[in-house]
Amino acid sequence: MRILTGATWTLEQPRRPAPQMGTRRIEALSSLFAIAALAVVAAPIVMEQSTDGTSSDRAAAPAGAPSAYAPAGGEFMFAGYSGVPYTYPSDVSIKKTSVHDFTAKEVEWEGKPFVNPIYYGARIVRWLGTGRIGTMVDFTHSKTIARLEQEAAFTGTIDGAPAPEKAVLRTVFRKLEASHGHNMLTLNGLFRLPSFTPRIYPYVGLGAGVSLPHSEVQMANSEKRTYEYQMAGAVGQALVGIELRTARVSYFFEYKFTLAPYLMPLSERDGSLLFYDLWRQFSDWLSGEEPPGGRLTTNLVSHQVVGGLGIRSAPAVAAP
C-alpha cells in the first residue's frame, strides 16, 4: 500500500517472512568456499619452509646457472587472494509487464569485504613458452549491497502508478544485493613486463567471462523474493600487478578493473546449489517462460585491490 505524506512517498511494510533454511545453507557454502581459498593461501607458507634449506645450494651454484626464481615456460601456479572492492553507483531498472517499469537512479553499493561472506578469489595460471605470456582462469567472489537508507530519484511506474520523484530505497526494496557473491569467472591473457630484479616481475592482463551472482531481490510490498544463483551476463576485466617470486611460492599484489552489465530474471524463488540454480534458469529460458517478478538490469563497474599468494608447479632449477 502506498502512502503519500507531504512530498514523501512510502510503502506500508508487510510482515517479514520467517528466515529461510536456504539462507543458512548459502551462508555455510560461502564460508566453505572462503575457507578453501584461505587454505590455498596458507599452504604455500608451510611448503616454503621445506625449500629454505636449498638456498645455500643455490648460492653455491656456478655463475650463469639457471635461477630458481626466473620465470619458466610450462609453469603452473595455483593461487588464492583477498582484497577490497569499490563499485560505482549505478542505475537499477526493473520491468514487469503491466506492473513495473521504473528506474532508481545512482544506487550506491557497499562491498563489506571483511564481513562474512568475505571477499576472496582463486585462480590457476599457466605460463607459456619463455614465460613472458600466460593464461589465467580467475574466480572472484565480491559483493554488492545497495545502501537502502539512501534517498534516490525514480522515474517510470511502480505497481502501475507513477513512481515518486524521490524516495528512500528501503520503501521500495526490502532486498537489493548480491551479498553471497557478485561472482565473476573469467579467462584472461597475461603478459610479463621487464623485471625490476630477478625476483620481482610486473605483469598486465585482460580477460572476459560470465557473472554468476547470487541474486537477492525483494520488493518492499511483496512476500516473494528472488534468492538464487544466476548467470547475469558477460563480464570483462583488466588488471595490472606485481609478482614476488621465491623458490616455490609467488606473492602478488594487483589492481583489477571489472565491468559487469547485469540482467537478472526475478524468478521469485529460493535456490540451492549453483549448478542446479543455473539449470533451472536455463530451463526457464528454453521454455520461453517469463520470470514472474520481471527483469532487473544494472551496470556494475568496480575497482579492486587484491593481494595473495600461490604455489608454482615447476620445481627449483638444479645447477648442471
Side-chain angles (χ1 to χ4, degrees):
M1 175 180 176
R2 288 185 297 276
I3 302 174
L4 182 64
T5 56
T8 304
W9 185 91
T10 62
L11 288 171
E12 183 177 303
Q13 300 291 330
R15 184 166 55 89
R16 292 180 180 269
Q20 302 289 326
M21 287 297 294
T23 304
R24 291 193 289 272
R25 186 185 303 116
I26 294 299
E27 288 176 350
L29 287 173
S30 295
S31 297
L32 287 174
F33 281 124
I35 291 169
L38 291 174
V40 172
V41 169
I45 298 175
V46 178
M47 293 191 63
E48 184 70 2
Q49 300 304 316
S50 67
T51 64
D52 284 346
T54 64
S55 57
S56 58
D57 295 335
R58 289 194 298 270
S67 168
Y69 307 119
E75 181 180 75
F76 276 101
M77 182 176 75
F78 303 88
Y81 59 89
S82 187
V84 178
Y86 169 77
T87 300
Y88 286 102
S90 64
D91 293 353
V92 174
S93 299
I94 292 183
K95 187 169 184 178
K96 180 181 178 182
T97 304
S98 303
V99 181
H100 304 308
D101 189 359
F102 71 90
T103 299
K105 299 287 188 178
E106 295 294 306
V107 173
E108 297 174 2
W109 306 99
E110 293 182 285
K112 297 184 179 180
F114 304 117
V115 176
N116 186 47
I118 66 170
Y119 179 109
Y120 66 88
R123 59 180 50 168
I124 301 173
V125 178
R126 168 76 166 177
W127 292 103
L128 309 171
T130 61
R132 182 58 63 89
I133 295 174
T135 61
M136 175 176 72
V137 176
D138 189 31
F139 174 79
T140 302
H141 175 282
S142 185
K143 288 183 290 189
T144 50
I145 305 170
R147 298 178 184 269
L148 295 183
E149 70 280 4
Q150 171 198 355
E151 184 179 62
F154 284 79
T155 60
T157 58
I158 301 176
D159 288 331
E165 290 187 6
K166 284 191 175 182
V168 175
L169 287 175
R170 194 175 298 280
T171 66
V172 178
F173 296 99
R174 184 181 296 178
K175 275 273 190 178
L176 180 58
E177 59 189 60
S179 60
H180 290 293
H182 167 36
N183 301 313
M184 295 167 281
L185 179 65
T186 58
L187 177 63
N188 304 264
L190 300 177
F191 181 75
R192 276 194 175 113
L193 302 174
S195 63
F196 300 120
T197 74
R199 292 196 186 197
I200 300 176
Y201 289 83
Y203 59 91
V204 295
L206 191 66
V210 293
S211 297
L212 300 170
H214 189 266
S215 303
E216 301 168 39
V217 181
Q218 185 175 12
M219 301 295 290
N221 63 346
S222 175
E223 295 292 332
K224 297 179 179 180
R225 68 176 184 174
T226 298
Y227 190 85
E228 65 178 358
Y229 288 105
Q230 297 180 338
M231 186 171 71
V235 61
Q237 76 172 7
L239 57 92
V240 57
I242 189 165
E243 175 192 15
L244 171 62
R245 295 169 63 89
T246 62
R248 292 291 300 277
V249 176
S250 286
Y251 302 84
F252 59 91
F253 300 93
E254 191 173 286
Y255 161 77
K256 300 203 298 182
F257 175 84
T258 60
L259 171 62
Y262 268 20
L263 175 58
M264 290 179 173
L266 302 181
S267 63
E268 295 185 342
R269 66 190 174 204
D270 279 18
S272 56
L273 300 176
L274 172 65
F275 295 109
Y276 179 63
D277 289 352
L278 294 182
W279 172 252
R280 290 200 298 180
Q281 181 186 358
F282 176 73
S283 298
D284 291 345
W285 174 80
L286 201 62
S287 68
E289 181 180 342
E290 283 296 311
R295 299 182 187 275
L296 181 150
T297 57
T298 191
N299 292 314
L300 299 179
V301 180
S302 303
H303 300 290
Q304 301 172 46
V305 178
V306 307
L309 49 82
I311 305 170
R312 300 198 310 274
S313 65
V317 178

